[in-house]
Amino acid sequence: MNPTRRTLACALLAASGLALAPVQAQAQSTAVKVGVVGPFSGPFAHYGALFKAAAEAYVASQGGKLAGKDIEFIYRDTGGPNPGQTKTLVQELIVKDKVDYLGGFVFTPNALAVAPLIQQSQTPTVIFNAATSAITEKSEYFIRTSYTLWQVTVPIAQWAARQDMKKVVTAVTDYGPGIDAETAFKAEFTKQGGTVVESIRMPIATTDFGPFVQRIKASGAQAVYTFLPGGPPNLGFVKAYNENGLAKAGVQFLGTAETDEFDLQKFGDSALGLTTAFHYSGAHDSPENKKFVDALKKRDPAAVANYASVGAWDGMHVIHKMIEATGGKKDGAKALATARTLQWESPRGPVRIDAKTRHITQNVYLRKVERVGGQLVNKEVQSFGPHGDYGLDAK
């Protein structure tokens, strides 16, 4: 690390009370250290559990080593959207634990909080979930294997217009990804000749969705496009959607991850027919997905194949290739140069890392909830083909 970069890094990390040794000069341990940051407690703890199961399943599927190197996972619990705590945890991972790579990050504010730290320490960081377009702009050491709201929203806005929908309401959780979702749908749907008759933003702590759903019902819209941050909010919104008679009134539900496999069976019949556009379904029919599901279940029988676990699985594939390219040595620049060139067959279908944005290009699928063999599944009924992230281009 040159003197200027070292000075900047010391200034950034001083608040942690930890001394910063030159990252490039530290002695190599026998294992490659991967810090995984996510919620392992609280209402979103299932994300952390799925990150852990999928990351460890990937390593097990490779014979227990990556590029001949032992892997040491270090897990850190953010508890939820908590940028301050997340920044402290990442400072400790970089300086005290001397991790070679970072992965995880469910919430956009947490990812944004650590961008200066990973930039100055040159620590390659793979986003397993957080979905706001701007994240990868904040540090050249971010790579994303999840999705963005622009990426999966533009195709469903186009599809809605082709179904002769003219009036739609957007109802989103009021933080980064929700605002991206609202902006993306409105921009594309309007471009296609439709009208967004009302844009509703719901506080992230909302538990009572009844008043918002009543506004949707009163709007005269043919459909509601919604974004929610996963977990309990999904169940609450869909319950309110049905209890307030929107489905019976013909107001179609359009979404992205709201029918997440982790919670899907809890919905019961209220989920049947819900329409989403997304990059992955646990029911995706391919050899790679079967391999992924089998490896995941072998590692943790309670684990669910969903967007969080596949994001972690593919995230570990990227880390695997970076370890391979660097021979297991700490070389952030070389690792990133390799990541920018990657393409592979994922459990979700063919994917590649965009060299410019460091975001994953992937197929987006139209999905409808159906019951198959007694279980609810997100059945892929159409592929919209490969899509990149439209969010950065929209600025």
Side-chain angles (χ1 to χ4, degrees):
M1 184 181 291
N2 64 46
T4 300
R5 186 174 294 279
R6 185 180 300 118
T7 299
L8 290 169
C10 288
L12 279 165
L13 297 171
S16 70
L18 298 168
L20 176 66
V23 173
Q24 299 288 3
Q26 291 163 4
Q28 296 295 313
S29 65
T30 56
V32 174
K33 294 184 178 182
V34 179
V36 179
V37 180
F40 290 87
S41 63
F44 301 101
H46 66 284
Y47 280 103
L50 290 173
F51 286 172
K52 184 176 189 292
E56 293 180 359
Y58 180 86
V59 175
S61 77
Q62 302 300 311
K65 295 178 184 285
L66 300 184
K69 304 296 181 181
D70 291 324
I71 304 299
E72 178 184 347
F73 287 110
I74 304 173
Y75 299 99
R76 292 293 180 262
D77 180 15
T78 64
N82 193 333
Q85 181 181 348
T86 302
K87 185 175 181 180
T88 298
L89 293 172
V90 169
Q91 286 171 334
E92 292 177 352
L93 284 167
I94 292 171
V95 179
K96 184 178 179 180
D97 297 303
K98 299 178 176 62
V99 296
D100 301 285
Y101 299 92
L102 287 165
F105 300 96
V106 170
F107 299 102
T108 291
N110 295 355
L112 294 177
V114 307
L117 303 180
I118 69 164
Q119 180 66 26
Q120 296 301 334
S121 63
Q122 299 183 355
T123 304
T125 299
V126 185
I127 301 294
F128 294 172
N129 184 76
T132 302
S133 289
I135 290 173
T136 57
E137 282 192 314
K138 302 306 179 182
S139 170
E140 64 185 304
Y141 287 89
F142 276 136
I143 312 108
R144 179 160 34 207
T145 55
S146 55
Y147 68 105
T148 70
L149 270 301
W150 276 87
Q151 183 175 43
V152 296
T153 296
V154 167
I156 201 167
Q158 295 170 341
W159 179 84
R162 291 195 296 270
Q163 307 314 300
D164 204 30
M165 295 182 195
K166 302 297 184 185
K167 297 180 179 180
V168 175
V169 169
T170 60
V172 304
T173 300
D174 190 9
Y175 77 124
I179 294 168
D180 264 12
E182 174 194 284
T183 304
F185 189 90
K186 187 172 184 178
E188 188 62 30
F189 191 61
T190 301
K191 180 180 175 182
Q192 299 295 328
T195 301
V196 174
V197 296
E198 188 172 1
S199 296
I200 299 170
R201 293 184 181 179
M202 303 173 288
I204 197 166
T206 296
T207 57
D208 180 10
F209 293 96
F212 300 110
V213 170
Q214 283 294 331
R215 286 170 60 184
I216 297 165
K217 189 175 182 181
S219 72
Q222 297 161 280
V224 53
Y225 167 78
T226 190
F227 167 80
L228 299 152
N234 291 347
L235 294 166
F237 187 89
V238 171
K239 181 180 179 183
Y241 168 84
N242 282 289
E243 288 183 349
N244 286 272
L246 269 70
K248 290 182 178 178
V251 180
Q252 187 159 351
F253 180 102
L254 306 176
T256 56
E258 286 65 38
T259 58
D260 173 22
E261 282 83 0
F262 184 81
D263 287 319
L264 188 52
Q265 306 311 315
K266 301 173 188 175
F267 284 100
D269 288 347
S270 65
L272 291 171
L274 295 183
T275 302
T276 56
F278 214 43
H279 62 287
Y280 177 70
S281 165
H284 183 72
D285 185 13
S286 75
E288 283 299 320
N289 193 46
K290 185 179 186 306
K291 175 184 174 183
F292 164 58
V293 173
D294 289 347
L296 191 63
K297 292 295 185 182
K298 183 177 180 181
R299 192 69 181 179
D300 181 356
V304 175
N306 74 343
Y307 66 95
S309 53
V310 82
W313 175 274
D314 282 333
M316 287 309 302
H317 175 82
V318 172
I319 289 173
H320 182 181
K321 294 303 177 184
M322 291 192 287
I323 294 170
E324 192 172 78
T326 60
K329 297 179 180 179
K330 192 183 290 288
D331 188 337
K334 188 172 184 178
L336 259 293
T338 296
R340 291 173 186 269
T341 69
L342 295 178
Q343 54 183 340
W344 70 98
E345 186 67 24
S346 159
R348 64 189 94 175
V351 300
R352 65 178 177 84
I353 300 297
D354 182 274
K356 180 180 179 183
T357 66
R358 286 159 281 107
H359 172 69
I360 194 166
T361 297
Q362 59 196 331
N363 289 343
V364 177
Y365 305 95
L366 182 71
R367 315 180 310 170
K368 287 185 183 291
V369 177
E370 297 183 3
R371 195 175 289 281
V372 177
Q375 295 289 302
L376 295 173
V377 300
N378 286 302
K379 183 175 177 58
E380 295 171 352
V381 296
Q382 181 181 343
S383 173
F384 296 127
H387 289 263
D389 176 28
Y390 300 99
L392 298 179
D393 293 337
K395 291 187 175 184

